[in-house]
């Protein structure tokens, strides 16, 4: 497999769906038609072995993940993702491995209507960087700065499953039907949900570094606090069967790799928000707390809850 | 130096000059206002140690190079570069090194009026990926597909100096006043020239892999050949003093890392092109050949010229 073949094969596996692409991949740059009613949104995120995933996981997952983490960022802006560029670096080329990578990347690209518009292939360290462009209608983006005291803190999906899956992979644990390992290997970016949630949310972030860590990014941006009841965190019932409640809560708070959305909704819009969104998708929506004017506070029911000491020894960096 | 500090320090060193940036760096993604009279141009290119540059070159050069190679791609599209995102990966953080990198990157960003709109910092291999967005006025981009038989092949600047500089660095050669080593460490992307040349060029590419290799990309895209007189290649007089003519021609044809522009101009527009452009900038413009309908041909004066055997053992990959 020659350099150029990887990007060409990837391109051939992805339906080029966007009529806005004027000059496609293959030149010095790509050219895209613009629409003045829209605003451009750009994200960039990279993954590398031993930092973001353990050595030896399947190539298909790596292809999926490097695109998924960018789709998740785009969702957290409330934006529609459209055009991806990939920097693909591997020390040597194994055609079976490359095939797996291509399947993982292109399946997710096709599901998400993403065009590949740029590529750079390097014989270097195992390293994959994706840059993604997309758009929002004028002013319809959601950043982290507009939440107010009293706004409700909501989450999509479940927390902690991916971090537990990573533990199973690292410990080479076979006592698993694959559910948690799949959560780690194939995160589902909340692309459709992000766009709909953006109509109601006052702030939004995707959970890549762990719920507690990412919520603190919102609260420090706002200069506000939060009060979260850890007993309301959406944890898979199966995870509570396999591990203690304390462990599960710790994974949910600090585990990372969930790629769920954390967002705030003004209390007065909650009913309308729930009515509309629960009719649009089945993804679980859970209220876990509220933005406060004082300092951050984790509670369990009515009692205080202290984070375990080891909280910040996180695999990711 | 913590992760976030590198990107923050870089951002603080770069004048944020673009009024189109609605949401700057620091959120999940950045938001840019669009203009329907313009088309978006995107490039992405990465560099890593031992592949694109030898271990131990100064950090300032690495910061400069990772942005410069993308600016060069943007210039080859005839586009104005505007917004950069950086993936910064290093195994460990040395604050002196980071400072050098920031100076190299931000000096070039400020000269080029580039805003930093995205960043991802990783404790991983020494690897730097940049994604760059910019624009052209409607339809004013130059790709590789419109050159015709008879169009003249032009080059900006000089060829071979950067490749010779790289040899000097690798051989730890001190018999140099620094001119050639500087050519390798601090390539000057032809940003201003690219936009002006685009008014006349029928095809354009930047020379990163070596003139012969990059010219073949244009000719294979066109399904045409070319005839180039290697004695007309623009080689620095100083380079001809330091090495044989054969060696200098070989460096100019195949050395790479020049980041000059190679472009074609219809013969009937040549006079107007030269009149306008030589009044706009001092950069050397040299005609070295012509697009032909037959196969590619290198000549030296009136005689055939054969590429040396070792042509494709290139440092870059």
């Amino acid at each position: 497999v020659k350099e150029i073949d990887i990007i060409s094969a990837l391109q051939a596996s992805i339906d080029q769906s966007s009529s806005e692409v004027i000059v496609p991949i293959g030149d010095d740059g790509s050219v895209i038609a613009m629409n003045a009613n829209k605003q451009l949104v750009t994200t960039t995120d990279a993954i590398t072995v031993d930092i973001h995933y353990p050595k030896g996981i399947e190539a298909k997952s790596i292809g999926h993940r490097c695109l998924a983490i960018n789709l998740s960022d785009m969702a957290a802006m409330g934006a529609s993702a459209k055009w991806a560029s990939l920097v693909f670096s591997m020390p040597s080329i194994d055609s079976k491995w490359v095939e797996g990578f291509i399947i993982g990347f292109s399946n997710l690209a096709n599901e998400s209507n993403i065009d590949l518009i740029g590529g750079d292939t390097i014989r270097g360290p195992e390293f994959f960087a994706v840059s993604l462009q997309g758009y929002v209608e004028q002013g319809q983006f959601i950043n982290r700065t507009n939440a107010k005291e009293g706004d409700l803190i909501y989450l999509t999906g479940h927390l902690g499953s991916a971090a537990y899956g990573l533990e199973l992979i690292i410990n080479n644990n076979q006592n698993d039907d694959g559910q948690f390992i799949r959560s780690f290997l194939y995160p589902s970016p909340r692309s459709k949900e992000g766009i709909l949630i953006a109509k109601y949310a006052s702030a939004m972030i995707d959970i890549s570094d762990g719920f507690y860590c990412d919520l603190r990014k919102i609260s420090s941006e706002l200069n506000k606090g939060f009060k979260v009841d850890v007993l309301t965190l959406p944890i898979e019932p199966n995870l509570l069967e396999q591990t203690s409640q304390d462990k599960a809560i710790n994974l949910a708070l600090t585990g990372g790799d969930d790629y769920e959305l954390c967002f705030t909704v003004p209390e007065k819009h909650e009913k309308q928000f729930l009515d509309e969104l629960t009719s649009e998708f089945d993804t679980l929506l859970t209220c876990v707390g509220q933005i406060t004017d004082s300092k951050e506070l984790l509670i369990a029911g009515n009692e205080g809850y202290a984070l375990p000491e080891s909280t910040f020894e996180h695999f990711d960096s």
Side-chain angles (χ1 to χ4, degrees), chain A residues 203-218:
Chain A
M204 183 147 59
I205 193 169
D206 76 316
I207 302 180
S208 50
D209 296 338
F211 169 60
Y212 178 70
C213 176
D214 288 318
L215 181 58
R216 286 185 70 191
K217 289 178 199 161
I218 287 189

Side-chain angles (χ1 to χ4, degrees), chain A residues 27 55 63 80 87 161 184 192 247 261 306:
Chain A
D27 216 291
K55 199 171 173 61
S80 300
V87 174
S161 299
F184 178 80
K192 182 186 168 195
K247 170 81 186 270
L261 296 174

Side-chain angles (χ1 to χ4, degrees), chain A residues 69-83:
Chain A
I69 60 174
N70 281 280
L71 288 169
S72 180
D73 276 329
M74 201 58 95
M77 296 300 291
S80 300
K82 297 283 287 179
W83 309 291

Side-chain angles (χ1 to χ4, degrees), chain A residues 107-176:
Chain A
N107 282 357
L108 183 58
N110 286 329
E111 272 169 38
S112 312
N113 293 316
I114 300 297
D115 284 357
L116 186 70
I117 60 163
D120 186 15
T121 313
I122 294 168
R123 211 162 293 240
E126 186 174 330
F127 198 99
F128 310 95
V130 170
S131 158
L132 195 57
Q133 283 78 49
Y135 55 69
V136 287
E137 301 298 323
Q138 286 284 356
Q140 299 304 298
F141 58 85
I142 297 295
N143 52 11
R144 299 179 189 162
T145 55
N146 294 317
K148 300 260 183 309
E149 187 188 348
D151 286 2
L152 302 169
I153 300 167
Y154 263 88
L155 289 166
T156 61
H158 293 100
L159 296 187
S161 299
Y164 188 65
L166 176 59
E167 280 192 15
L168 294 176
I169 294 170
I170 289 171
N171 299 327
N172 204 6
N173 191 320
Q174 308 295 328
N175 293 335
D176 175 52

